[in-house]
Amino acid sequence: MSGHDSKYFSTTKKGEIPELKEELNSQYKDKRKDAVKKVIAAMTVGKDVSSLFTDVVNCMQTENLELKKLVYLYLINYAKSQPDLAILAVNTFVKDSQDPNPLIRALAVRTMGCIRVDKITEYLCDPLQRCLKDDDPYVRKTAAICVAKLFDINAELVEDRGFLDSLKDLISDNNPMVVANAVAALAEIQESSARPIFEITTSTLSKLLTALNECTEWGQVFILDALSRYKAADAREAENIVERVTPRLQHANCAVVLSAVKMILQQMELITSTDVVRNLCKKMAPPLVTLLSAEPEIQYVALRNINLIVQRRPTILAHEIKVFFCKYNDPIYVKMEKLEIMIKLASDRNIDQVLLEFKEYATEVDVDFVRKAVRAIGRCAIKLERAAERCISVLLELIKIKVNYVVQEAIIVIKDIFRRYPNTYESIIATLCESLDTLDEPEAKASMIWIIGEYAERIDNADELLESFLESFPEEPAQVQLQLLTATVKLFLKKPTEGPQQMIQVVLNNATVETDNPDLRDRAYIYWRLLSTDPEAAKDVVLAEKPVISDDSNQIDPSLLDELLANIATLSSVYHKPPEAFVTRVRTTTQKTDIAEGSASPAGNVPTRQMTTAAASPPQSVPVPDLMGDLMGLDNSAIVPVDQPSTPSG
């Protein structure tokens, strides 16, 4: 290459970053503002503009509120990756927190809370202390949230500087929004602290109830959630609290309605007067019904919550079963939830209406929904003894339609009905046996085989029917093989003739020699030994009376139901799981101690079972959900970015 070729490597273009750098240092305000906007745009689409940190921070010294907001937004994003340079911004923060404009003071405090850098945390304490006692309520309510954020970064510092006491003082503030934010911050801190921090007393109770009527809808949600954790001293106090909260049931916001319902349900446990309880149940029905006219997503959340409520207080919606009838255009997830609630609300008074609906659903096109509807008819039969006969006649009508999956579901539920009401409805077995050839699903096959084995003495050709299943014994799923084995043994014990004798030999041989399934093999060996040593003992074991199955419509354990009802209007009530089942909250304090303990003990002695989430994942990679971000309108910091996801806990 000759010396003249160097021109190909030089370019007149500076590149994006140098150009932005030049614009950020321009003497013109508008040019600087446009440059910061370009930087934020680049940052939003994922470009690395951290090299411009110093230049962007220099733009903080401005009176322009919009520009200041943009710079603060940049700071929140890059302070963690540039902690040494972030200190440059501290002086401006401190200065802005004393600005005559309350918006700028609040903005400074809000951004300080979002910058999660340990080095500068201590510098922020004095401005925060001032802002907690600021004359302007907007600044005070922003500062209240900032305390919760600071507690997440450094809990000891918050306690040493007396921020918790300042927060508790804010509950007595004359501005309802300040009260609501103080409650939200204290509740957030309480969740990540082992000792009691936020306890409602009689004096704070009246302040919260007063603020409830005046603050915004999200403020109301925070206050209602706090009130639902308050244990009233007696029935009278519980009635007074409920009376003050009842108007919230008429609110337009679904979250407020559900939080009010949760709070009333919690206090109703203490109310002894049946009249008061009855009136409250009447008042809660219309708002819950109104939620079902919202869009499908809200309907679904409402239905999942209603599902829990009717398990505790079925009288609330006992007369409103019609609102749960499925519409043709409901999404499948809404239809499924409505079915569940209809089963729970079904009673002798409304069963005819309900069965008509279920029968109609069983002829729809959505296979999953049809299956669920057929199963629902069976569950109603198990729940309501008086209606069982009507339910069975509907099931038989559906079997006559000869739709394969309908027939199979019907057989599965009829098996349960036989177990619920022994020796009552066996006359329909002949009708069921007509459908043997169409069965291809394991559960339906297993149910039919169980029916044949259980009532072998009443079915003349029981051995022929079982033999038809035995031909494909090795290929059948384990569920069907186990049922076939037991049914054949039952047949042999009830009819010890030559045919069943040969069948039992074939089945036992197949189940012990040909199979890989240990459950099947073990059960076959047990039957073999029983039959060969003591046939009478075999009769006592295999033909023993079975326990009657019970109604499973309220299947949630009572203690779990209590916990889920205490979490109404949260994800917990939608998943029907306690919060700890799907949320792993890593506490900063426990993390430090766990790591310290881990390093103190020799590696060989640390028991594996005692390793905590904190020890399993490095401290710098824990994602910190900023639950308070959106409350103040700062929706750009919903999750503070991290380098890698934390290890999920076991």
Side-chain angles (χ1 to χ4, degrees), residues 486 489-490 492-494 504 526-544:
T486 306
V489 173
K490 283 178 183 173
F492 173 70
L493 290 170
K494 288 176 178 182
I504 198 91
I526 289 169
Y527 285 155
W528 203 324
R529 283 174 191 145
L530 271 172
L531 291 168
S532 55
T533 54
D534 189 350
E536 286 306 312
K539 274 187 181 175
D540 292 342
V541 171
V542 181
L543 304 178

Side-chain angles (χ1 to χ4, degrees), residues 254 258 291-292 294-304 333:
C254 310
L258 280 174
L291 293 178
L292 299 180
E295 50 268 36
E297 293 79 9
I298 290 177
Q299 274 189 59
Y300 178 73
V301 172
L303 287 164
R304 292 293 281 176
Y333 55 88

Side-chain angles (χ1 to χ4, degrees), residues 103-402:
L103 288 175
I104 291 179
R105 297 203 295 276
L107 187 64
V109 171
R110 180 190 296 163
T111 313
M112 286 192 275
C114 294
I115 293 179
R116 311 183 62 81
V117 177
D118 286 337
K119 287 182 183 177
I120 67 171
T121 307
E122 288 186 31
Y123 297 108
L124 308 178
C125 290
D126 291 336
L128 181 56
Q129 209 127 33
R130 272 196 306 275
C131 289
L132 282 166
K133 294 181 171 52
D134 199 279
D135 295 337
D136 193 284
Y138 182 72
V139 180
R140 293 201 298 277
K141 74 170 190 158
T142 312
I145 297 298
C146 192
V147 174
K149 291 172 186 271
L150 192 60
F151 187 89
D152 215 22
I153 304 166
N154 191 335
E156 286 173 27
L157 186 68
V158 169
E159 293 189 30
D160 294 346
R161 296 295 293 260
F163 285 130
L164 292 179
D165 295 328
S166 303
L167 263 188
K168 287 172 189 170
D169 293 342
L170 288 182
I171 290 180
S172 309
D173 199 277
N174 55 5
N175 184 291
M177 266 320 293
V178 176
V179 176
N181 279 21
V183 168
L186 283 166
E188 177 78 0
I189 290 168
Q190 180 64 75
E191 275 181 32
S192 50
S193 173
R195 63 189 185 79
I197 284 171
F198 177 37
E199 288 177 336
I200 299 176
T201 60
T202 320
S203 61
T204 50
L205 177 70
S206 62
K207 287 165 188 163
L208 292 181
L209 287 168
T210 308
L212 186 63
N213 298 324
E214 297 168 37
C215 57
T216 65
E217 48 201 29
W218 296 111
Q220 290 179 32
V221 170
F222 285 122
I223 292 175
L224 286 167
D225 284 351
L227 288 172
S228 67
R229 288 190 282 273
Y230 174 70
K231 290 276 178 286
D234 52 32
R236 188 187 205 96
E237 189 183 21
E239 282 180 42
N240 289 339
I241 296 169
V242 167
E243 201 177 318
R244 300 276 295 273
V245 170
T246 310
R248 300 299 105 214
L249 292 171
Q250 265 66 55
H251 204 284
N253 185 307
C254 310
V256 176
V257 173
L258 280 174
S259 293
V261 167
K262 165 170 68 177
M263 194 255 146
I264 292 169
L265 281 171
Q266 296 297 96
Q267 300 300 341
M268 272 168 77
E269 298 297 318
L270 296 163
I271 297 173
T272 47
S273 162
T274 48
D275 289 342
V276 174
V277 170
R278 196 182 304 116
N279 285 336
L280 284 172
C281 289
K282 275 184 189 169
K283 282 178 184 171
M284 278 196 279
L288 289 172
V289 168
T290 307
L291 293 178
L292 299 180
S293 55
E295 50 268 36
E297 293 79 9
I298 290 177
Q299 274 189 59
Y300 178 73
V301 172
L303 287 164
R304 292 293 281 176
N305 283 284
I306 289 169
N307 196 328
L308 297 172
I309 294 164
V310 296
Q311 290 185 51
R312 173 55 48 85
R313 304 255 176 206
T315 50
I316 293 178
L317 292 159
H319 302 293
E320 304 287 347
I321 196 159
K322 279 189 175 175
V323 298
F324 299 105
F325 288 177
C326 300
K327 298 186 181 79
Y328 74 96
N329 58 350
D330 279 340
I332 185 67
Y333 55 88
V334 169
K335 285 181 175 178
M336 295 294 205
E337 280 309 308
K338 283 184 173 179
L339 268 184
E340 276 297 320
I341 294 168
M342 283 163 73
I343 295 167
K344 288 180 174 62
L345 293 178
S347 64
D348 291 329
R349 200 172 52 251
N350 59 25
I351 188 67
D352 290 326
Q353 274 181 311
V354 171
L355 282 177
L356 273 174
E357 281 293 305
F358 287 167
K359 190 178 172 185
E360 200 174 312
Y361 303 158
T363 56
E364 289 209 6
V365 286
D366 192 306
V367 177
D368 288 336
F369 183 51
V370 170
R371 287 174 183 277
K372 189 105 175 177
V374 175
R375 207 163 277 224
I377 297 169
R379 284 171 66 186
C380 286
I382 290 165
K383 180 182 175 183
L384 307 167
E385 191 169 346
R386 288 187 200 163
E389 200 164 330
R390 277 172 281 173
C391 295
I392 285 179
S393 61
V394 171
L395 287 169
L396 290 175
E397 283 174 44
L398 292 172
I399 287 174
K400 282 173 191 161
I401 301 170
K402 297 275 189 232

Side-chain angles (χ1 to χ4, degrees), residues 599-644:
S599 56
S601 59
N605 301 339
V606 179
T608 341
R609 275 176 175 271
Q610 287 176 1
M611 285 184 73
T612 59
T613 322
S617 58
Q620 72 273 16
S621 67
V622 177
V624 187
D626 182 7
L627 302 177
M628 298 298 178
D630 289 348
L631 182 73
M632 300 306 302
L634 189 69
D635 53 0
N636 46 48
S637 62
I639 296 269
V640 177
V642 287
D643 300 320
Q644 62 189 79

Side-chain angles (χ1 to χ4, degrees), residues 518-577:
D519 291 341
L520 183 65
R521 201 166 49 232
D522 290 352
R523 189 184 288 192
Y525 275 129
I526 289 169
Y527 285 155
W528 203 324
R529 283 174 191 145
L530 271 172
L531 291 168
S532 55
T533 54
D534 189 350
E536 286 306 312
K539 274 187 181 175
D540 292 342
V541 171
V542 181
L543 304 178
E545 205 169 303
K546 283 154 206 64
V548 174
I549 63 169
S550 56
D551 167 31
D552 67 340
S553 54
N554 294 348
Q555 66 272 54
I556 295 181
D557 181 70
S559 57
L560 174 60
L561 184 59
D562 287 340
E563 192 174 350
L564 294 177
L565 285 169
N567 284 296
I568 278 180
T570 66
L571 269 180
S572 177
S573 66
V574 177
Y575 288 156
H576 287 188
K577 288 179 180 177

Side-chain angles (χ1 to χ4, degrees), residues 70-111:
L70 291 167
V71 174
Y72 278 178
L73 191 58
Y74 177 90
L75 267 174
I76 290 167
N77 206 35
Y78 283 115
K80 201 158 190 200
S81 57
Q82 307 270 357
D84 297 329
L85 292 173
I87 294 175
L88 298 172
V90 167
N91 285 336
T92 315
F93 279 139
V94 175
K95 188 167 148 243
D96 281 355
S97 70
Q98 294 167 300
D99 194 276
N101 184 342
L103 288 175
I104 291 179
R105 297 203 295 276
L107 187 64
V109 171
R110 180 190 296 163
T111 313

Side-chain angles (χ1 to χ4, degrees), residues 39 160 185 191 233 290 301 339 381 420 423 428 433 512 515 595 629 636:
V39 170
D160 294 346
E191 275 181 32
T290 307
V301 172
L339 268 184
R420 176 77 174 88
N423 306 317
I428 65 168
C433 291
T512 50
T515 184
I595 292 166
N636 46 48

